[in-house]
Amino acid sequence: MTNELIDPRGPRFTAAITTVVLAIALATGSWIPVAIQFIQFAFGGFISPKKAPYGLIYIKFVQPKLSKDFVGEAINGPRFAQKVGFLFATVALIGTAIGSNAVFTVAVAFALAAAFLNAAFNFCLGCEIYLRLIRARSGALQRA
């Protein structure tokens, strides 16, 4: 676990882009937007949300125009959320590869719903899952 902090406005910005990309994928049934999102999720989840393509756009073009006054948030929750998104993008791409529109549609819809919650309501579902897993783990360790 790392103590690295990020600007909490960044994940919300990237969730807005993700919402648009996945809505396009869902509306068109195309795997190409999902492949683009797969790359975003891979960088965000396994390297750093700040090093992912949308994160770099935020840091270079958006963040400098915003107030410097913000309370940093731990990077762990957003990184976990990106890993969950990576899992859904992987399932969607597998659905395409095996010719299952249903698998593709359900996986994209779940990822889209989570991204929309973050973009529209600042509710990061993956972050909440991460926090609950940490709490459950620490509770189990205390009982042991």
Side-chain angles (χ1 to χ4, degrees):
M1 206 177 327
T2 179
N3 292 328
E4 183 179 357
L5 298 178
I6 59 171
D7 179 346
R9 300 168 296 186
R12 191 168 188 190
F13 172 82
T14 62
I17 297 173
T18 298
T19 298
V20 171
V21 170
L22 293 177
I24 291 168
L26 202 56
T28 63
S30 173
W31 62 270
I32 295 170
V34 178
I36 292 167
Q37 195 58 50
F38 174 88
I39 294 166
Q40 164 67 28
F41 286 144
F43 274 87
F46 298 101
I47 298 172
S48 170
K50 295 191 297 188
K51 304 276 190 220
Y54 306 161
L56 293 172
I57 292 169
Y58 175 78
I59 290 168
K60 182 154 176 80
F61 298 108
V62 179
Q63 190 178 38
K65 294 176 175 35
L66 300 176
S67 164
K68 304 281 186 246
D69 297 329
F70 65 87
V71 176
E73 104 177 273
I75 200 168
N76 301 338
R79 181 179 283 144
F80 179 82
Q82 293 287 297
K83 288 177 182 173
V84 173
F86 176 83
L87 177 65
F88 280 108
T90 301
V91 170
L93 292 173
I94 290 170
T96 297
I98 65 172
S100 176
N101 288 337
V103 170
F104 173 86
T105 301
V106 169
V108 173
F110 275 121
L112 173 58
F116 177 77
L117 283 172
N118 196 349
F121 303 109
N122 200 26
F123 180 79
C124 176
L125 186 58
C127 300
E128 288 299 317
I129 293 168
Y130 173 79
L131 291 173
R132 290 175 192 266
L133 288 172
I134 293 299
R135 286 186 197 125
R137 182 175 163 209
S138 66
L141 291 175
Q142 288 175 355
R143 286 190 297 272

